[in-house]
Amino acid sequence: MKSLLACTVILGALAAQARIINVSDHGIAPGKDNTFALNRLLESIGNESGVTLNFPKGTYDFHQDNAAEVYRAVSNHDNGLKRIIFPLFDHKDITIEGNGSLFLMHGRVVPFTLERASGITLKNFSIDWEQSFHAELKCIERDIAKQSAVFECDETLYPNKIDNGMLMFDRMGQWDPIGANMVWDKDTHAPIYNTDRYAVQGWKPNKVSKPGKNKIKLEKCFKKEPPPVGSTLVVYGVHPTSRLCPAIHITNSKNVKIENVTVHDAGGMGLIVERTENIELDGMKVTSNSQRVVSTRADATHFIGCKGLIKVENCVFEHMLDDAINVHGAYVPVVEYLGNNQFLCNISHFQQWGLIFAEPGDRIALMDRSTVLPVSETTVTDIKILNEHRFVLTVAGVPEKLPEIMSVENLTWNPDLEFRNNIVRENRARSILVTTKGKVIIENNYLSSQMHGILIEGDNNKWYESGAVQDVMIRNNEFVNPGYARDNRYPLLASPLFTKDQRMGEGRYHRNITFENNTVRSFNGHLVEARSVDGLKILNNKLIYSDDYPKAEEGETIELEYCNNVEISGNSASGFDHPITIKTEDTENLTIGKNKGFTAKK
Amino acid sequence: MKSLLACTVILGALAAQARIINVSDHGIAPGKDNTFALNRLLESIGNESGVTLNFPKGTYDFHQDNAAEVYRAVSNHDNGLKRIIFPLFDHKDITIEGNGSLFLMHGRVVPFTLERASGITLKNFSIDWEQSFHAELKCIERDIAKQSAVFECDETLYPNKIDNGMLMFDRMGQWDPIGANMVWDKDTHAPIYNTDRYAVQGWKPNKVSKPGKNKIKLEKCFKKEPPPVGSTLVVYGVHPTSRLCPAIHITNSKNVKIENVTVHDAGGMGLIVERTENIELDGMKVTSNSQRVVSTRADATHFIGCKGLIKVENCVFEHMLDDAINVHGAYVPVVEYLGNNQFLCNISHFQQWGLIFAEPGDRIALMDRSTVLPVSETTVTDIKILNEHRFVLTVAGVPEKLPEIMSVENLTWNPDLEFRNNIVRENRARSILVTTKGKVIIENNYLSSQMHGILIEGDNNKWYESGAVQDVMIRNNEFVNPGYARDNRYPLLASPLFTKDQRMGEGRYHRNITFENNTVRSFNGHLVEARSVDGLKILNNKLIYSDDYPKAEEGETIELEYCNNVEISGNSASGFDHPITIKTEDTENLTIGKNKGFTAKK
């Protein structure tokens, strides 16, 4: 027995030792399509753990033709058959070491998919595509009176044609109309101030012509006026085929590290993570390459239904067409209580179809959908998936009286979040969205986004993103010109999203949010808007006027509704020539201390 | 040991006994959505064999909402997530007894999927959809001078709208333009004579308006002229979303019987069968319901890569928008010889993507793609599927010299076909397509189709349908007005389909075809066209003039090219006022006996 035990220990030690594979020994090299050879190499590793795939520095091409293919539901994306370049399914303790290499994708592929993987490290490489999932049209001429503009658009980079009067872009196997679009500023390299003004009504046929090679003329299709000369009109297609290819997709996995990885493009998000425990991003960058204004088609990073710790440090997220990070769960409406502790549930948001809502053993809350508040908690004993939309949930117990309209939320899968020392800038939409019951620390970041800085939302009727927060610390961040989309945006907005059929319930929705020691350079003098929060501290923040954008005076500096236990103290405002105000409504236990330059209203 | 053995025998005998389940004992009943209850019942049966699901006679509704869902590649259809009403996966010896019931589908569903099933019998029921996968527009007014027509189209049966000047039809979750379309005759209930004349150019925007409730006016979009008043314009959408839902899909299965089953509609074929051994259709009907002119969106039945016997008797196939039956295999082009007996292969036809071409142990032929002739045979030792398009085939041996362009064909999976006592009529396209190396008997059928009666083709460059036939007997059939699409169609056309890059090789492609004792009532005097056939007998057929359609004089009665060992004898022609001719070219060993009313040409 003793020798057998010893032998096992030795074998265990051997298995834990890293084996380094030089990919060039396996036919993988710059200057050729490496997909086939890479897939064979990954297959040969199988369930061997402790392997490093070492890529000598270079540009490695990966084409779609020989890629592995699996039908995949990908949250916040469009589901479908996915061609995968690095299919890391069930792999353990694998490191992909790029040594500064570029992994250049060709076609409609997902570069990385991790499924039921653990201990995976991705490090020291960049991901880009030869052809982008969006198109960039630089305005070289405009005529405001005639509502027309001429754009320069390189047809080799952004192949396009006029078909039945519609401008269509080749997106590697499909032809997309203009669809979603946005104008970017030539000087700030960010969405232009008040970009909506220049929006192309891209879902309808436009008057379009080609006045010369690489030239496109658009007429009478701009919301208010054609974009300024020198700005770039970015067009990025329509649902449901515009979010097919995230750069990195991770699901049902554990202990993942992404270190010094740069994502230059994606037909979706840079990183989408589902039902994964512990993930660390260190030095990750999402940024456009030198030829393009825009990076990813959607969020830089996005996490749904995770647990453990999400740690994001020393990252740069810029030039995305959506948020830098979003951490949330899912509310799923109940169609019908079937009796016998069984609920027939229907995933409502089309970009959550196929989500694994829960597994046996998970704790869940049953919510009243009219107030978005929980009515009871229980444990899942079985889940039967009927199709991508529907499942039957069997639980340990149900309350005697059920709400008339219900939904369910997973309580077990709520991660902590540490978001520290990161830069978010020059992107469409928000910097941070977070709705998790875990402990959240957002500190020492530079945040300069076009919409809200930090949005703590949660809703049960539109995006179905749960859930209410319980412990959020936001401190020592620098917000620069938050909200230059121009409408009423805040460095921090904390409020559930209600529809007209929903109402505030007996208790508050969010809890324990601290906004402390932040510096906000602002053209509109906004600080915090909050609704239905119990335990809100707004302390020692500095609000400083910035003239980077035209002065704006709409809205209050701090606006509260239906909050409880609020402390506002030690804040200062300087440089504004309009009143810096605090407005509260239906709010209890409010303490307003000294706030330099602030005026409290009722 | 003895008692244990006895016990096993008794248990075996018990298991083999049929258990009859009355579905009404399991919550399945007319007047409600039965999908959920049916799926739970099928699950509960699991791998129990010898079970009959007995449906008391009635109309059973099945909605899509709670249906099982699986991503499915379906040959000759559009692949995708399929909602399945009867998912018979791995089931054994199950009988679905309908007792004359109607299974009424709601939404985009596949009523039956059999996968790895054996001994399944489907009997005594009809399948229909509440809403069809095509639309029918009855012409009530036309103005030839103005090239316009007004149609009546019930908006509840065929929901539609005009969107950006395009007429769009709601196909249960997607909006289809007119797309493919065809005019049907009010008197013959079949595609109208020379239907192409009235074709709508459906892929481009048409001038369309709605002059009243349930009225649609189309202008200046007809190929030659608007369709006659009283005829029905059938419109059925565009690829790749127009063939999503066959009525019955069978794959990787064995010993299936379909008895007295009627299919009234399908968003694809009535029956599509892949890689299945032994299937019998007895008394199957594909026909429109009393409210509609047209039945299935595509073929009534279709078989690819099967083996054993396909037996089709006492069936009626009518009103389909495609052929009654097609039996074939697949040619798959080789992209590259990888060395080590490995071929990288690429399925070229988009409606074969995802096909299981072969499994280890299958015999295959390697073909020269320039002549469509085999160069060697070998056995598959491994198959590695890369994605829906591509796989790597490892074989036991390769010839020393490989052709420059190659494809592969499966030799093991070639079924026999018996097609007997059936009626095919009033459909678009052909009656029968058959290309199998098995023994084929087609006898005692009534065949009256719009294009060729029987097409024995095989091609390696367009549809990639293999293979060359070896033994085909066609006797005692009645062909009535074959080819009223009007162009040059034949009761029998046997010829590989060549493209401009392909050429006849050293040997003939098809072998041993007998066309004997058939009666052909014909408006054009066509009998047989054959190319590259070795062993062709055309014996004792009666060709009788029919005045059902305008007289036509194009083409020869029998036309042969590059054939060998041909006998033409005992045939007769009557009633024609143009010459009934035999024309041969490049044909050896030709015997022309007595043929009454025939003239041989050179």
Side-chain angles (χ1 to χ4, degrees), chain A residues 36 40 43 64-69 71 81 83 164 203 205 338 344 384 386-390 392, chain B residues 36 40 43 64-69 71 81 83 164 203 205 338 344 384 386-390 392:
Chain A
F36 187 80
R40 298 297 77 72
E43 263 181 2
Q64 65 176 4
D65 310 76
N66 297 325
E69 191 174 50
Y71 180 89
L81 270 190
R83 297 271 176 113
N164 280 327
W203 284 266
L338 300 174
L344 177 63
K384 165 77 193 162
L386 302 181
N387 48 53
E388 280 201 346
H389 297 211
R390 291 192 169 191
V392 176
Chain B
F36 187 79
R40 299 296 76 73
E43 264 182 1
Q64 67 177 2
D65 311 72
N66 297 325
E69 192 174 51
Y71 180 89
L81 269 193
R83 298 272 175 113
N164 280 327
W203 284 267
L338 301 173
L344 176 63
K384 165 76 192 163
L386 303 181
N387 49 53
E388 280 203 346
H389 298 213
R390 290 193 169 190
V392 176

Side-chain angles (χ1 to χ4, degrees), chain A residues 341-571:
Chain A
N341 291 5
Q342 290 193 319
F343 293 93
L344 177 63
C345 302
N346 186 72
I347 297 171
S348 287
H349 195 262
F350 73 97
Q351 283 185 338
Q352 288 177 359
W353 290 341
L355 185 79
I356 295 176
F357 168 75
E359 286 180 341
D362 287 359
R363 291 289 289 171
I364 63 155
L366 187 68
M367 332 282 299
D368 183 331
R369 194 135 53 98
S370 61
T371 60
V372 203
L373 291 175
V375 294
S376 72
E377 294 186 11
T378 183
T379 302
V380 175
T381 57
D382 189 45
I383 183 164
K384 165 77 193 162
I385 292 167
L386 302 181
N387 48 53
E388 280 201 346
H389 297 211
R390 291 192 169 191
F391 55 85
V392 176
L393 205 59
T394 310
V395 297
V398 297
E400 275 198 16
K401 187 167 159 32
L402 290 168
E404 274 186 33
I405 52 170
M406 295 175 273
S407 52
V408 286
E409 177 187 12
N410 195 317
L411 299 175
T412 299
W413 289 78
N414 272 274
D416 296 335
L417 170 67
E418 294 178 15
F419 192 87
R420 190 179 286 121
N421 299 331
N422 304 296
I423 296 170
V424 180
R425 64 188 170 200
E426 302 167 13
N427 65 306
R428 182 188 160 269
R430 285 69 51 120
S431 288
I432 298 169
L433 285 92
V434 60
T435 40
T436 173
K437 297 184 194 315
K439 190 176 172 61
V440 176
I441 298 173
I442 298 170
E443 63 183 355
N444 299 331
N445 302 289
Y446 175 98
L447 307 172
S448 177
S449 290
Q450 183 231 16
M451 299 184 185
H452 301 298
I454 298 170
L455 175 57
I456 298 175
E457 195 168 51
D459 79 288
N460 204 330
N461 224 327
K462 190 175 175 191
W463 303 103
Y464 293 90
E465 294 183 355
S466 69
V469 301
Q470 299 187 341
D471 183 357
V472 177
M473 168 58 76
I474 302 164
R475 66 185 170 210
N476 304 328
N477 299 287
E478 188 181 1
F479 293 85
V480 179
N481 300 313
Y484 53 93
R486 180 59 189 77
D487 285 333
N488 203 16
R489 317 291 172 133
Y490 279 78
L492 170 62
L493 168 60
S495 168
L497 181 68
F498 281 126
T499 62
K500 65 178 168 40
D501 301 327
Q502 290 178 332
R503 58 188 165 77
M504 299 290 182
E506 287 298 303
R508 268 73 180 180
Y509 183 81
H510 290 300
R511 291 206 289 137
N512 303 326
I513 300 174
T514 300
F515 188 80
E516 189 174 19
N517 274 325
N518 299 289
T519 301
V520 181
R521 299 182 195 280
S522 169
F523 60 94
N524 62 9
H526 289 175
L527 197 62
V528 175
E529 185 180 342
R531 200 171 293 112
S532 201
V533 179
D534 187 340
L536 173 64
K537 292 183 183 164
I538 304 172
L539 307 173
N540 306 321
N541 299 289
K542 279 192 195 130
L543 183 60
I544 302 165
Y545 176 67
S546 148
D547 62 0
D548 292 340
Y549 288 100
K551 216 173 273 180
E553 300 187 17
E554 82 280 4
E556 316 292 336
T557 298
I558 296 176
E559 180 162 4
L560 309 179
E561 185 189 345
Y562 193 54
C563 291
N564 191 14
N565 297 314
V566 180
E567 188 183 347
I568 303 174
S569 184
N571 302 290

Side-chain angles (χ1 to χ4, degrees), chain B residues 51-320:
Chain B
V51 172
T52 294
L53 290 194
N54 190 65
F55 286 76
K57 187 172 179 175
T59 295
Y60 294 86
D61 293 290
F62 297 99
H63 291 252
Q64 67 177 2
D65 311 72
N66 297 325
E69 192 174 51
V70 188
Y71 180 89
R72 305 279 297 161
V74 184
S75 185
N76 295 80
H77 286 73
D78 302 316
N79 299 343
L81 269 193
K82 307 290 175 189
R83 298 272 175 113
I84 303 167
I85 302 302
F86 285 79
L88 294 164
F89 286 69
D90 301 293
H91 284 89
K92 275 186 194 161
D93 300 327
I94 303 288
T95 298
I96 308 294
E97 166 62 80
N99 296 298
S101 291
L102 170 63
F103 295 162
L104 187 60
M105 306 294 148
H106 302 258
R108 214 192 279 177
V109 299
V110 178
F112 285 85
T113 296
L114 278 62
E115 168 85 36
R116 298 177 305 274
S118 72
I120 306 296
T121 299
L122 309 180
K123 63 195 291 196
N124 300 325
F125 58 81
S126 300
I127 297 170
D128 202 355
W129 268 263
E130 185 205 27
Q131 183 181 331
S132 180
F133 292 92
H134 68 271
E136 301 189 357
L137 293 76
K138 193 172 176 181
C139 184
I140 54 173
E141 201 183 308
R142 74 162 167 177
D143 185 325
I144 293 178
K146 290 185 176 162
Q147 284 287 305
S148 73
V150 177
F151 299 88
E152 196 167 61
C153 180
D154 188 319
E155 288 183 8
T156 54
L157 296 177
Y158 308 112
N160 63 77
K161 65 177 178 184
I162 298 172
D163 188 18
N164 280 327
M166 295 273 284
L167 181 59
M168 304 293 284
F169 291 88
D170 168 25
R171 296 277 155 72
M172 298 171 275
Q174 70 192 43
W175 286 93
D176 281 357
I178 291 177
N181 63 87
M182 167 166 249
V183 175
W184 290 58
D185 191 292
K186 74 178 163 56
D187 298 318
T188 64
H189 310 291
I192 200 165
Y193 173 75
N194 200 2
T195 182
D196 196 43
R197 188 171 180 79
Y198 313 105
V200 175
Q201 313 293 301
W203 284 267
K204 301 210 169 164
N206 335 107
K207 192 166 174 203
V208 60
S209 57
K210 294 205 174 192
K213 187 170 162 56
N214 293 333
K215 303 241 186 328
I216 293 169
K217 185 175 184 179
L218 294 174
E219 294 173 73
K220 296 195 172 59
C221 60
F222 305 100
K223 194 156 181 185
K224 299 272 179 184
E225 60 178 291
V229 170
S231 67
T232 298
L233 172 66
V234 176
V235 305
Y236 49 110
V238 290
H239 286 306
T241 51
S242 60
R243 284 190 179 191
L244 290 162
C245 298
I248 304 172
H249 179 210
I250 300 174
T251 176
N252 302 307
S253 294
K254 200 172 171 178
N255 302 333
V256 177
K257 189 165 182 188
I258 298 177
E259 200 181 320
N260 197 23
V261 166
T262 298
V263 174
H264 287 304
D265 200 341
M269 296 174 176
L271 170 68
I272 169 73
V273 186
E274 306 180 57
R275 205 172 168 86
T276 286
E277 184 175 356
N278 300 326
I279 176 163
E280 184 179 344
L281 315 184
D282 190 357
M284 182 177 179
K285 271 192 197 173
V286 173
T287 182
S288 56
N289 70 22
S290 60
Q291 288 195 304
R292 299 182 196 132
V293 169
V294 155
S295 57
T296 52
R297 168 69 186 72
D299 305 17
T301 71
H302 201 112
F303 303 81
I304 176 166
C306 292
K307 73 178 182 185
L309 174 62
I310 299 171
K311 193 172 177 180
V312 181
E313 291 185 331
N314 313 312
C315 295
V316 176
F317 301 124
E318 59 184 12
H319 309 157
M320 306 83 70

